[in-house]
Amino acid sequence: AQTVTQSQPEMSVQEAETVTLSCTYDTSESDYYLFWYKQPPSRQMILVIRQEAYKQQNATENRFSVNFQKAAKSFSLKISDSQLGDAAMYFCAYRSARREQGGSEKLVFGKGTKLTVNP
Amino acid sequence: NAGVMQNPRHLVRRRGQEARLRCSPMKGHSHVYWYRQLPEEGLKFMVYLQKENIIDESGMPKERFSAEFPKEGPSILRIQQVVRGDSAAYFCASSPFLGDTQYFGPGTRLTVL
Protein backbone atom coordinates (compact mmCIF):
# COMPACT_ATOMS: atom_id res chain seq x y z
CA ALA A 1 0.00 0.00 0.00
CA GLN A 2 1.12 3.51 -0.72
CA THR A 3 2.01 5.87 2.11
CA VAL A 4 2.67 9.60 2.24
CA THR A 5 4.79 11.20 4.94
CA GLN A 6 4.99 14.86 5.86
CA SER A 7 7.71 15.18 8.45
CA GLN A 8 7.06 18.80 9.40
CA PRO A 9 3.93 19.16 11.55
CA GLU A 10 4.39 22.95 11.63
CA MET A 11 6.35 25.56 9.69
CA SER A 12 6.49 29.32 9.81
CA VAL A 13 7.66 31.94 7.35
CA GLN A 14 7.93 35.70 7.23
CA GLU A 15 5.69 37.52 4.81
CA ALA A 16 7.40 37.90 1.39
CA GLU A 17 9.92 35.16 2.19
CA THR A 18 10.17 31.66 0.70
CA VAL A 19 9.30 28.43 2.45
CA THR A 20 9.61 24.78 1.44
CA LEU A 21 7.31 22.05 2.71
CA SER A 22 8.56 18.46 2.58
CA CYS A 23 6.77 15.33 1.43
CA THR A 24 8.00 11.81 0.83
CA TYR A 25 6.01 8.83 -0.35
CA ASP A 26 6.37 5.12 -0.73
CA THR A 27 5.11 3.18 -3.72
CA SER A 28 6.11 0.33 -5.98
CA GLU A 29 4.27 1.85 -8.93
CA SER A 30 6.00 3.76 -11.69
CA ASP A 31 3.04 5.78 -12.90
CA TYR A 32 1.14 8.02 -10.50
CA TYR A 33 0.10 11.55 -9.65
CA LEU A 34 1.13 13.76 -6.77
CA PHE A 35 -0.80 16.71 -5.39
CA TRP A 36 -0.56 19.49 -2.87
CA TYR A 37 -3.83 20.63 -1.33
CA LYS A 38 -4.31 23.64 0.92
CA GLN A 39 -6.82 23.68 3.77
CA PRO A 40 -7.34 27.19 5.24
CA PRO A 41 -9.27 27.76 8.47
CA SER A 42 -12.50 27.52 6.48
CA ARG A 43 -11.53 23.83 6.06
CA GLN A 44 -12.22 23.88 2.32
CA MET A 45 -9.72 21.66 0.48
CA ILE A 46 -8.16 23.64 -2.36
CA LEU A 47 -5.93 22.13 -5.04
CA VAL A 48 -2.62 23.97 -5.17
CA ILE A 49 -0.59 21.98 -7.68
CA ARG A 50 -0.47 18.64 -9.47
CA GLN A 51 2.47 16.63 -10.84
CA GLU A 52 2.39 13.66 -13.18
CA ALA A 53 5.15 11.17 -12.35
CA TYR A 54 6.04 10.61 -16.00
CA LYS A 55 6.87 14.30 -16.43
CA GLN A 56 10.41 15.27 -15.56
CA GLN A 57 9.62 18.97 -15.52
CA ASN A 58 8.55 20.30 -12.15
CA ALA A 59 5.05 21.76 -12.01
CA THR A 60 4.61 25.48 -11.32
CA GLU A 61 1.54 27.56 -10.50
CA ASN A 62 2.34 31.22 -9.98
CA ARG A 63 4.16 31.47 -6.61
CA PHE A 64 3.91 27.72 -6.01
CA SER A 65 6.38 25.22 -7.42
CA VAL A 66 7.43 21.70 -6.65
CA ASN A 67 10.71 19.83 -6.53
CA PHE A 68 9.86 16.34 -7.72
CA GLN A 69 12.61 13.79 -7.20
CA LYS A 70 11.20 10.48 -8.46
CA ALA A 71 14.15 8.29 -7.51
CA ALA A 72 14.15 9.68 -3.99
CA LYS A 73 10.32 9.60 -3.83
CA SER A 74 10.31 13.18 -2.70
CA PHE A 75 7.81 15.90 -3.61
CA SER A 76 8.41 19.21 -1.85
CA LEU A 77 6.36 22.39 -2.26
CA LYS A 78 8.03 25.78 -2.49
CA ILE A 79 6.01 28.91 -1.79
CA SER A 80 7.69 32.10 -2.94
CA ASP A 81 6.84 35.63 -1.78
CA SER A 82 4.67 34.24 1.00
CA GLN A 83 1.43 36.07 1.71
CA LEU A 84 -0.77 36.15 4.79
CA GLY A 85 -3.43 34.30 2.83
CA ASP A 86 -1.06 31.35 2.41
CA ALA A 87 -1.48 30.46 6.08
CA ALA A 88 -3.19 27.06 6.13
CA MET A 89 -2.71 23.33 6.52
CA TYR A 90 -0.96 21.86 3.50
CA PHE A 91 -1.53 18.24 2.54
CA CYS A 92 0.54 16.18 0.15
CA ALA A 93 -1.39 13.44 -1.66
CA TYR A 94 -0.70 10.48 -3.94
CA ARG A 95 -2.88 8.76 -6.49
CA SER A 96 -2.16 5.75 -8.64
CA ALA A 97 -2.40 6.22 -12.39
CA ARG A 98 -3.42 2.63 -13.06
CA ARG A 99 -6.57 2.52 -15.12
CA GLU A 100 -8.09 -0.81 -14.22
CA GLN A 101 -11.57 -1.78 -13.19
CA GLY A 102 -11.99 -0.71 -9.60
CA GLY A 103 -8.51 0.71 -9.73
CA SER A 104 -7.10 3.01 -7.16
CA GLU A 105 -8.80 6.32 -7.77
CA LYS A 106 -8.42 7.17 -4.13
CA LEU A 107 -6.12 9.90 -2.90
CA VAL A 108 -3.70 8.91 -0.14
CA PHE A 109 -2.93 11.89 2.08
CA GLY A 110 -0.14 12.79 4.46
CA LYS A 111 -0.95 14.16 7.90
CA GLY A 112 -0.34 17.72 6.86
CA THR A 113 1.91 20.66 7.67
CA LYS A 114 0.51 23.73 9.37
CA LEU A 115 2.00 26.85 7.79
CA THR A 116 2.00 30.13 9.69
CA VAL A 117 2.85 33.36 7.88
CA ASN A 118 4.18 36.11 10.11
CA PRO A 119 3.63 39.76 9.11
CA ASN B 1 -20.01 26.64 -12.60
CA ALA B 2 -20.83 25.98 -8.97
CA GLY B 3 -18.36 23.92 -7.03
CA VAL B 4 -19.01 20.73 -5.12
CA MET B 5 -21.78 21.33 -2.62
CA GLN B 6 -22.24 19.56 0.66
CA ASN B 7 -24.99 19.87 3.21
CA PRO B 8 -25.42 20.27 5.97
CA ARG B 9 -22.16 22.03 6.85
CA HIS B 10 -22.58 21.12 10.49
CA LEU B 11 -24.54 18.20 11.91
CA VAL B 12 -25.05 17.28 15.54
CA ARG B 13 -26.38 13.87 16.47
CA ARG B 14 -26.81 11.95 19.69
CA ARG B 15 -25.36 8.48 20.02
CA GLY B 16 -27.56 5.92 18.31
CA GLN B 17 -29.13 8.34 15.83
CA GLU B 18 -28.64 8.31 12.08
CA ALA B 19 -26.60 10.85 10.13
CA ARG B 20 -27.20 11.61 6.45
CA LEU B 21 -24.63 13.65 4.59
CA ARG B 22 -25.32 14.95 1.10
CA CYS B 23 -22.99 15.79 -1.75
CA SER B 24 -23.85 17.40 -5.07
CA PRO B 25 -20.92 17.08 -7.48
CA MET B 26 -19.86 19.79 -9.87
CA LYS B 27 -21.94 20.00 -13.03
CA GLY B 28 -20.82 17.38 -15.52
CA HIS B 29 -18.98 15.31 -12.90
CA SER B 30 -20.09 11.69 -12.61
CA HIS B 31 -17.41 10.43 -10.20
CA VAL B 32 -17.84 11.03 -6.47
CA TYR B 33 -15.46 10.26 -3.60
CA TRP B 34 -16.00 10.45 0.15
CA TYR B 35 -13.19 11.07 2.64
CA ARG B 36 -13.12 11.40 6.41
CA GLN B 37 -10.84 13.69 8.38
CA LEU B 38 -10.35 12.99 12.05
CA PRO B 39 -8.97 15.78 14.26
CA GLU B 40 -5.28 16.50 13.61
CA GLU B 41 -5.21 13.97 10.77
CA GLY B 42 -5.14 13.96 6.99
CA LEU B 43 -8.07 12.83 4.92
CA LYS B 44 -8.76 9.11 4.67
CA PHE B 45 -10.53 7.61 1.66
CA MET B 46 -13.85 5.94 2.32
CA VAL B 47 -15.69 5.20 -0.93
CA TYR B 48 -15.73 5.94 -4.65
CA LEU B 49 -18.97 5.94 -6.62
CA GLN B 50 -20.19 6.53 -10.10
CA LYS B 51 -23.83 7.02 -10.95
CA GLU B 52 -25.77 4.11 -9.43
CA ASN B 53 -22.58 2.11 -8.77
CA ILE B 54 -20.16 1.69 -5.90
CA ILE B 55 -16.75 1.23 -7.47
CA ASP B 56 -14.43 1.06 -4.46
CA GLU B 57 -15.58 0.91 -0.84
CA SER B 58 -12.32 -0.37 0.57
CA GLY B 59 -12.09 2.48 3.08
CA MET B 60 -15.62 2.22 4.38
CA PRO B 61 -16.26 0.60 7.77
CA LYS B 62 -18.10 -2.67 7.24
CA GLU B 63 -20.91 -1.85 9.61
CA ARG B 64 -23.22 1.16 10.00
CA PHE B 65 -21.83 3.05 7.00
CA SER B 66 -23.35 3.07 3.52
CA ALA B 67 -23.16 5.28 0.47
CA GLU B 68 -25.16 5.77 -2.69
CA PHE B 69 -25.11 7.93 -5.78
CA PRO B 70 -28.50 7.60 -7.49
CA LYS B 71 -29.25 8.39 -11.09
CA GLU B 72 -30.96 11.57 -9.98
CA GLY B 73 -30.02 13.64 -6.98
CA PRO B 74 -27.03 13.97 -4.70
CA SER B 75 -24.72 11.32 -3.34
CA ILE B 76 -25.61 10.30 0.22
CA LEU B 77 -23.29 9.03 2.93
CA ARG B 78 -25.35 7.41 5.66
CA ILE B 79 -24.13 6.52 9.12
CA GLN B 80 -26.48 4.48 11.26
CA GLN B 81 -26.39 4.32 15.06
CA VAL B 82 -23.65 6.93 15.32
CA VAL B 83 -21.00 6.68 18.03
CA ARG B 84 -18.67 9.35 19.42
CA GLY B 85 -15.83 8.01 17.27
CA ASP B 86 -17.76 8.99 14.15
CA SER B 87 -17.23 12.67 15.01
CA ALA B 88 -15.15 14.02 12.15
CA ALA B 89 -15.23 16.19 9.05
CA TYR B 90 -16.57 14.33 6.02
CA PHE B 91 -15.48 15.60 2.63
CA CYS B 92 -16.90 14.83 -0.76
CA ALA B 93 -14.94 15.29 -3.99
CA SER B 94 -15.93 14.92 -7.61
CA SER B 95 -14.19 14.55 -10.94
CA PRO B 96 -15.47 14.62 -14.52
CA PHE B 97 -13.53 11.65 -15.81
CA LEU B 98 -11.77 8.59 -14.54
CA GLY B 99 -8.31 9.67 -13.47
CA ASP B 100 -9.01 13.38 -13.48
CA THR B 101 -8.33 15.79 -10.64
CA GLN B 102 -10.69 15.59 -7.69
CA TYR B 103 -12.33 18.82 -6.55
CA PHE B 104 -13.49 19.00 -2.97
CA GLY B 105 -16.58 20.35 -1.30
CA PRO B 106 -16.49 22.37 1.93
CA GLY B 107 -17.11 19.33 4.10
CA THR B 108 -19.69 18.38 6.73
CA ARG B 109 -18.57 18.51 10.33
CA LEU B 110 -20.35 15.77 12.28
CA THR B 111 -20.45 15.99 16.05
CA VAL B 112 -21.81 13.07 18.04
CA LEU B 113 -22.88 13.90 21.57
Side-chain angles (χ1 to χ4, degrees):
Chain A
Q2 294 82 18
T3 58
V4 175
T5 302
Q6 293 179 249
S7 59
Q8 306 153 316
E10 297 187 23
M11 291 283 284
S12 64
V13 62
Q14 291 296 126
E15 197 175 1
E17 297 294 308
T18 295
V19 64
T20 298
L21 307 184
S22 300
C23 172
T24 58
Y25 57 94
D26 187 29
T27 184
S28 58
E29 298 177 332
S30 59
D31 198 13
Y32 48 86
Y33 302 95
L34 296 164
F35 305 84
W36 279 98
Y37 280 89
K38 168 185 176 181
Q39 187 179 44
S42 67
R43 301 191 67 83
Q44 172 82 51
M45 292 291 287
I46 301 166
L47 178 66
V48 175
I49 204 163
R50 161 183 164 140
Q51 174 80 43
E52 288 86 353
Y54 66 85
K55 290 186 177 178
Q56 292 188 345
Q57 187 172 7
N58 290 323
T60 298
E61 286 288 340
N62 301 314
R63 298 182 294 107
F64 298 87
S65 61
V66 298
N67 183 6
F68 174 47
Q69 301 288 328
K70 191 172 184 180
K73 296 180 182 175
S74 171
F75 183 60
S76 60
L77 175 69
K78 185 171 84 171
I79 306 174
S80 304
D81 185 25
S82 298
Q83 301 175 359
L84 294 177
D86 295 334
M89 285 291 290
Y90 286 82
F91 292 97
C92 179
Y94 169 103
R95 200 191 80 214
S96 171
R98 285 184 304 162
R99 295 279 77 77
E100 61 191 33
Q101 181 63 27
S104 301
E105 289 298 308
K106 65 182 180 183
L107 289 166
V108 178
F109 285 88
K111 291 193 172 184
T113 296
K114 182 179 181 180
L115 178 66
T116 301
V117 181
N118 300 310
Chain B
N1 188 7
V4 178
M5 299 179 69
Q6 290 187 248
N7 67 79
R9 294 293 307 276
H10 300 274
L11 182 62
V12 179
R13 286 287 179 266
R14 296 192 181 279
R15 282 178 295 172
Q17 292 184 319
E18 178 180 287
R20 280 185 177 240
L21 288 63
R22 295 175 181 77
C23 168
S24 296
M26 291 177 70
K27 187 176 181 180
H29 288 198
S30 59
H31 301 259
V32 166
Y33 315 82
W34 285 93
Y35 294 84
R36 177 164 65 175
Q37 184 179 31
L38 296 170
E40 310 301 323
E41 295 281 327
L43 279 69
K44 294 280 198 286
F45 169 79
M46 298 182 75
V47 62
Y48 160 43
L49 310 100
Q50 295 178 24
K51 284 286 187 182
E52 300 184 277
N53 288 302
I54 296 175
I55 306 300
D56 180 0
E57 55 182 347
S58 60
M60 192 99 96
K62 293 287 186 282
E63 297 179 353
R64 302 188 298 107
F65 285 73
S66 62
E68 63 177 12
F69 188 17
K71 187 176 181 181
E72 301 290 337
S75 175
I76 306 286
L77 179 67
R78 182 182 177 203
I79 311 172
Q80 295 178 292
Q81 298 175 340
V82 295
V83 301
R84 289 224 173 105
D86 296 333
S87 295
Y90 291 82
F91 288 90
C92 168
S94 72
S95 67
F97 308 110
L98 191 67
D100 208 335
T101 295
Q102 296 176 25
Y103 296 92
F104 282 81
T108 294
R109 183 180 291 276
L110 172 65
T111 300
V112 180
L113 301 177

